[in-house]
Amino acid sequence: MKLKLFINKIHLVLVLALLTMATACEKAAKSKESIGDTDSLMNAAYQARDYDRILQLADETASAEGLSAIKANYWKGYAYSRLRKMRLAENYWQKAVEMGAHNEEELVYYAKSANRLSSMLVLTAEYEKTMKVAVPAMEKMSEANYVKNEDYAYLLLAIGCCQLKLESPEDAAKSFDKALKTYLDVIDEKGNISSFTSAIVGIITITDNYLMQKRFEDARSWTERFKELLTRYTQLPNPDANFLDKQYARYYLYRASALEGLGNHKEAAEAYAEAQKSEYAKTGEGQLEATGYLMSAQRWNEAARNFETLNEQMDKFDFSFTLDNIQRFVLPKYRANYGAHRVDSALILGLRLCDWLDTAIVENKQSDAAELATLYSTQQKETELVKQRAKMNSQRFLVVTIILLTIILSITLILYYRRQHARRLQVAYHELEIANARAEESSRMKTNFIQQISHEIRTPLNILSGFTQIIATPDMELDEDTKQDVSRQILENTNRITGLVKKMLELSDANSQTVIERNDHVLAVQIAAQGMDRIMAGGEEGMIPIDLQLGEGTEEAMLQTNEQEATRVLELLLGNAEKFTNEGQIRLKLEKTADMMRFIVEDTGIGVPPAEAEHIFEEFVQLDSNHVGTGIGLTVARSLSQRMGGDVVLDTSYTGGARFIMTLPL
């Protein structure tokens, strides 16, 4: 009887096992069907540019095991990049690259992720980081013989851009040649419009990088390859006439810029004239693209006119005044108006620039905070997903294990189950610890608010960004010395940005011939004291002291001048001396002549070669690139002093450093 009961139990266990296996097969079939449906839905969302839908599909199918992890991470990165949430995009593409590829489909999305990630890192000037992504990705693709595609070509192109920026032009040229060969191989194999478009974009990127590096002969050479590719495109059965019109216009514009850089002004002008014959040149986009050549050729009036379409184009393409767009469009527009002597327009633009910068910084902070919150929330969701999957796997394995081991021995099954269950709990707990550690790490991630703005603005903003992230990080404990150091550096860099904007506004007025009113009666020694006070108040600990020396008759000497502007000039000269003096001393001497007061600033710094005595007063001139500065301080100082009836000159006879002399009428 007991044996019969035992056999019945075995029959019941076998039936349950068969039912379980059938259910598993049915789920596997449904899973394959679900993956096919997901691909269709994802493609539809991609075509409709519905990026929120892409994120929804990636989350839903990843949790239901509809998409592979690498595929889901690629699509999340793509959607976030289109939504301009670049931190999140980089996070998911980096995850996809770190996963590697284990089959053909994963290899495709691995290559796409490496391509996108490298492209973004190149744009943010993270060249070493780009190389760490692109080089291993190319090696893996080469090992899998997956090299005849646009992703492999772009990785070569990205490596070439990095080599060019890192001062390896010979290596860059080889990488660019390999990239072009790969693009042409893809064209030979596919021969469709998409392959031509990718190759044209690649050549444009290479040419643009050579122009930015002022390697004009290389840029001119690549414009010829550009033309050859366009000629091949025209041989397609149904070439797009509008596309050809636009690309030929670009070809002539790039050629004009390269020839202008080589000094072939006449040929450059002829190439530009050819570009203007296109329909693209009549569009707002074409006019903005033409400003590159016009500004290099110093055709300021034409450049300024073309920039009049900027606001319209930014509205058309839904561009906001981000830090990147300010650098790409607003600053060139300001230079064009300034070069065209549109002083009023330049001044208005400079004033607006302050507001736009302030707004862009605030929006960047808010955007970064939102991205960090999303990233933290995503880490929590992924932690929950890990727990759910672990639980599901545990349950499945538990059922199968119980069924199989019950047939053999019930007691052994119970002991084995307890042991395995304990191990699974330990693994799940370990995975949870790792996930929590990643979540905590993501909450402390520092922000890089600024992409593609001038070095002088980017450096202090990056410092402010880093300290803001430290202060805002939850549970971050800082000792008092660190807090004071953080506060000091935040104040210094805020003042540095304010000073830079102030100098930019002063520069807009630097070439004005307007005489500054001199209605103030003030002691010369008072101007000297005020200039020194401003330097000492804004200076850092350990700065070089300033020794004031009063010549005969200077203590009671009165000036009829503009007190504020005279003090500003002296502040600029003393600040210049502080910047270039590491040790020694700075002297401020006052000397009185028959009708002038001389303010003499002497330092023991690196000095100025006599041949550069006038050159240093030109805008944006910096003789020593190792020192931070804008190259406009001396320009503003001379302009202000001359408009008050005086001057600022360099005494070339002085050899102990540099000696600048400001003169003002008594």
Side-chain angles (χ1 to χ4, degrees):
M1 191 70 181
K2 291 182 180 179
L3 180 60
K4 185 176 181 181
L5 181 62
F6 180 71
I7 292 173
N8 288 336
K9 287 183 178 179
I10 291 177
H11 286 166
L12 179 61
V13 169
L14 290 174
V15 170
L16 290 173
L18 291 173
L19 288 173
T20 302
M21 294 174 63
T23 302
C25 292
E26 183 179 355
K27 286 183 177 179
K30 288 184 177 179
S31 177
K32 290 182 179 179
E33 182 180 352
S34 174
I35 292 173
D37 293 341
T38 301
D39 285 335
S40 299
L41 292 172
M42 190 69 79
N43 187 59
Y46 167 74
Q47 295 294 337
R49 300 181 181 179
D50 189 347
Y51 307 120
D52 290 328
R53 176 62 172 160
I54 291 176
L55 289 173
Q56 179 188 1
L57 288 170
D59 281 332
E60 291 177 353
T61 57
S63 61
E65 299 184 357
L67 285 180
S68 65
I70 190 170
K71 198 171 180 180
N73 283 326
Y74 166 77
W75 281 115
K76 287 181 181 180
Y78 174 80
Y80 278 124
S81 71
R82 292 299 180 178
L83 293 171
R84 301 177 186 175
K85 297 181 179 180
M86 307 313 293
R87 181 190 297 277
L88 290 166
E90 179 181 352
N91 176 64
Y92 283 108
W93 283 331
Q94 186 67 50
K95 282 184 178 180
V97 170
E98 290 173 356
M99 287 178 178
H102 305 92
N103 54 51
E104 290 185 6
E105 183 185 56
E106 289 187 355
L107 181 61
V108 171
Y109 284 91
Y110 170 82
K112 289 179 179 291
S113 300
N115 177 349
R116 298 279 185 178
L117 181 58
S118 298
S119 175
M120 187 171 67
L121 293 174
V122 167
L123 289 176
T124 55
E126 298 183 70
Y127 304 121
E128 293 183 0
K129 196 172 179 180
T130 304
M131 297 289 280
K132 290 179 180 179
V133 172
V135 172
M138 285 183 54
E139 291 175 353
K140 290 182 181 180
M141 293 169 70
S142 297
E143 289 174 3
N145 197 28
Y146 185 63
V147 296
K148 196 176 290 188
N149 55 79
E150 288 91 343
D151 294 319
Y152 188 83
Y154 183 81
L155 289 173
L156 280 166
L157 191 151
I159 290 172
C161 291
C162 294
Q163 290 167 334
L164 192 61
K165 296 290 185 180
L166 297 173
E167 303 297 331
S168 298
E170 295 83 5
D171 294 333
K174 294 177 182 178
S175 297
F176 289 151
D177 287 339
K178 290 179 181 178
L180 178 59
K181 183 180 182 303
T182 303
Y183 279 125
L184 295 178
D185 288 342
V186 174
I187 289 173
D188 291 339
E189 184 175 286
K190 297 182 179 179
N192 54 21
I193 291 178
S194 175
S195 60
F196 273 96
T197 302
S198 297
I200 288 170
V201 170
I203 288 184
I204 287 175
T205 302
I206 294 169
T207 308
D208 197 44
N209 272 269
Y210 274 128
L211 287 174
M212 285 192 294
Q213 293 296 106
K214 300 187 184 303
R215 305 185 75 88
F216 299 113
E217 181 56 41
D218 291 316
R220 187 203 60 76
S221 173
W222 276 91
T223 60
E224 296 304 318
R225 301 184 186 190
F226 191 0
K227 185 178 181 181
E228 291 173 4
L229 192 57
L230 290 176
T231 302
R232 286 191 61 179
Y233 180 83
T234 59
Q235 297 170 2
L236 289 176
N238 296 301
D240 187 330
N242 291 329
F243 179 79
L244 272 174
D245 176 81
K246 180 176 181 178
Q247 301 310 324
Y248 267 113
R250 284 179 163 175
Y251 156 71
Y252 283 115
L253 288 176
Y254 280 123
R255 180 174 175 79
S257 296
L259 290 170
E260 182 67 29
L262 291 170
N264 299 335
H265 308 302
K266 182 179 178 181
E267 292 182 49
E270 291 173 353
Y272 176 74
E274 286 295 325
Q276 295 308 295
K277 296 177 183 179
S278 66
E279 292 299 318
Y280 177 68
K282 300 172 185 177
T283 65
E285 184 183 357
Q287 290 172 1
L288 285 182
E289 195 160 356
T291 56
Y293 161 72
L294 292 173
M295 292 178 70
S296 67
Q298 298 185 4
R299 294 166 66 166
W300 303 113
N301 284 317
E302 295 175 70
R305 282 197 301 272
N306 283 15
F307 270 119
E308 290 173 0
T309 66
L310 176 59
N311 289 343
E312 178 185 343
Q313 292 303 305
M314 293 191 74
D315 290 340
K316 178 180 177 182
F317 293 101
D318 193 25
F319 284 171
S320 59
F321 286 100
T322 62
L323 294 171
D324 185 44
N325 287 333
I326 288 173
Q327 182 188 25
R328 290 175 58 196
F329 301 119
V330 181
L331 288 177
K333 181 177 180 178
Y334 171 81
R335 296 191 189 100
N337 278 278
Y338 178 74
H341 301 295
R342 296 185 178 185
V343 178
D344 292 340
S345 298
L347 181 58
I348 292 172
L349 194 59
L351 293 171
R352 289 180 178 175
L353 181 61
C354 296
D355 294 333
W356 289 333
L357 278 173
D358 183 63
T359 302
I361 291 170
V362 172
E363 290 180 351
N364 216 357
K365 288 180 180 179
Q366 293 174 344
S367 175
D368 251 17
E371 284 196 55
L372 283 172
T374 304
L375 193 59
Y376 180 74
S377 175
T378 301
Q379 294 288 350
Q380 288 183 317
K381 289 180 181 178
E382 290 179 351
T383 302
E384 290 298 323
L385 186 61
V386 169
K387 291 169 65 177
Q388 291 174 6
R389 287 179 176 174
K391 187 176 180 180
M392 290 174 61
N393 291 334
S394 174
Q395 291 173 346
R396 291 173 184 171
F397 184 74
L398 178 61
V399 171
V400 175
T401 303
I402 291 175
I403 292 172
L404 295 176
L405 295 181
T406 300
I407 299 173
I408 302 172
L409 190 58
S410 299
I411 297 175
T412 306
L413 174 62
I414 295 172
L415 295 175
Y416 181 78
Y417 163 71
R418 288 178 178 176
R419 197 162 143 194
Q420 291 300 314
H421 185 64
R423 288 181 180 177
R424 285 194 298 275
L425 286 175
Q426 186 177 6
V427 171
Y429 181 75
H430 179 63
E431 291 177 350
L432 182 60
E433 283 185 326
I434 294 174
N436 285 334
R438 289 178 178 173
E440 291 176 3
E441 181 182 357
S442 70
S443 69
R444 296 192 299 269
M445 291 178 66
K446 297 180 180 179
T447 180
N448 177 12
F449 299 118
I450 301 173
Q451 296 178 356
Q452 299 303 324
I453 201 168
S454 65
H455 179 71
E456 280 300 312
I457 294 178
R458 182 182 294 122
T459 300
L461 284 181
N462 278 339
I463 295 173
L464 288 174
S465 168
F467 285 123
T468 302
Q469 287 297 315
I470 291 175
I471 295 173
T473 299
D475 303 327
M476 175 63 73
E477 295 182 1
L478 302 174
D479 58 53
E480 192 60 34
D481 290 340
T482 303
K483 288 181 180 178
Q484 292 179 1
D485 183 57
V486 168
S487 298
R488 177 182 59 78
Q489 295 207 42
I490 288 176
L491 180 60
E492 288 177 359
N493 286 279
T494 302
N495 292 337
R496 183 174 171 188
I497 295 173
T498 304
L500 179 62
V501 174
K502 180 179 179 182
K503 283 187 179 181
M504 291 175 66
L505 294 176
E506 289 176 330
L507 180 64
S508 68
D509 197 40
N511 287 337
S512 172
Q513 302 300 317
T514 305
V515 175
I516 297 174
E517 293 185 0
R518 296 181 288 151
N519 298 326
D520 300 328
H521 294 270
V522 60
L523 289 169
V525 70
Q526 183 176 338
I527 292 175
Q530 291 176 169
M532 293 172 61
D533 287 344
R534 290 189 186 180
I535 292 298
M536 300 302 292
E540 301 176 356
E541 184 178 351
M543 63 185 296
I544 305 297
I546 302 173
D547 179 24
L548 177 61
Q549 299 180 4
L550 302 178
E552 183 178 354
T554 58
E555 291 188 32
E556 303 297 330
M558 295 289 295
L559 302 178
Q560 182 175 348
T561 186
N562 185 301
E563 182 178 356
Q564 179 178 348
E565 300 298 355
T567 303
R568 176 59 176 159
V569 175
L570 191 57
E571 178 189 356
L572 290 169
L573 295 180
L574 290 171
N576 185 72
E578 282 283 352
K579 184 191 303 182
F580 293 100
T581 305
N582 295 325
E583 59 184 14
Q585 62 179 338
I586 297 173
R587 288 185 295 272
L588 172 58
K589 299 180 180 179
L590 271 61
E591 293 182 357
K592 180 180 178 184
T593 64
D595 57 352
M596 302 292 283
M597 177 61 66
R598 289 159 49 95
F599 295 81
I600 304 171
V601 178
E602 295 179 354
D603 62 55
T604 57
I606 60 176
V608 180
E612 303 290 341
E614 287 301 314
H615 185 217
I616 57 174
F617 290 102
E618 297 176 8
E619 296 128 343
F620 311 115
V621 171
Q622 290 179 279
L623 300 183
D624 187 354
S625 60
N626 293 323
H627 287 79
V628 176
T630 59
I632 62 178
L634 293 177
T635 306
V636 172
R638 170 172 277 189
S639 173
L640 292 175
S641 61
Q642 288 178 343
R643 290 158 61 198
M644 290 187 291
D647 201 358
V648 173
V649 297
L650 175 71
D651 184 357
T652 57
S653 65
Y654 182 70
T655 58
R659 175 190 286 161
F660 287 91
I661 302 173
M662 174 181 74
T663 56
L664 292 175
L666 292 172

